[in-house]
Amino acid sequence: MNPNKKNTIRKQGIVIEALPSAHFRVKLDEGEEIIAHLAGKLRIYRIKVLPGDWVTVEMTPYDKKRGRIVYRGK
């Protein structure tokens, strides 16, 4: 993990809906829904994220409704 990113929070969730511009609606394990975009590495390596996929989302403590998808599970 990047030492400059100490304040990030990682949570697990499932993708509910694909939105335009590589944004997704993700339902977290706690039950809340957020909007998340794809991280740069996922875009570079063209990893496809589809509704129904389990993902790991990084969030900042400042905005609990937005995040970045950093890992795609099965």
Side-chain angles (χ1 to χ4, degrees), residues 21-60:
S21 301
H23 283 76
F24 298 90
R25 189 174 313 277
V26 178
K27 183 171 181 123
L28 300 177
D29 289 343
E30 292 85 30
E32 55 191 87
E33 288 187 11
I34 65 167
I35 302 292
H37 66 274
L38 281 180
K41 290 287 185 183
L42 295 176
R43 287 185 188 203
I44 290 171
Y45 292 111
R46 294 194 175 123
I47 295 174
K48 303 293 183 206
V49 176
L50 300 171
D53 287 345
W54 285 95
V55 293
T56 301
V57 179
E58 262 188 9
M59 300 166 38
T60 66

